[in-house]
Amino acid sequence: MYWVAKILQVLGLFITLDGLYVGIRLHDMQTEVLLLALGVAIFYGGRRLEKSLRA
């Protein structure tokens, strides 16, 4: 279960970076903000899962 949390964190980071790429390269702010919010939510979910497994 620990690895699932880490995979979620890495996936969240990649989605956030992809959103940054879309915003810079394609000048699409709406998609950039959507991907940023999605990436942060996935990363935060993985972080919460990791913390719950340690307790």
Side-chain angles (χ1 to χ4, degrees), residues 11-55:
L11 183 63
L13 287 176
F14 279 130
I15 290 174
T16 303
L17 289 175
D18 189 40
L20 183 63
Y21 173 77
V22 166
I24 291 173
R25 184 77 172 152
L26 303 177
H27 303 290
D28 186 3
M29 267 313 257
Q30 186 176 5
T31 306
E32 179 182 6
V33 171
L34 179 67
L35 288 174
L36 173 68
L38 184 64
V40 167
I42 291 173
F43 181 85
Y44 183 67
R47 183 75 177 132
R48 294 276 304 201
L49 181 61
E50 181 184 6
K51 280 188 171 185
S52 71
L53 292 174
R54 287 186 183 176

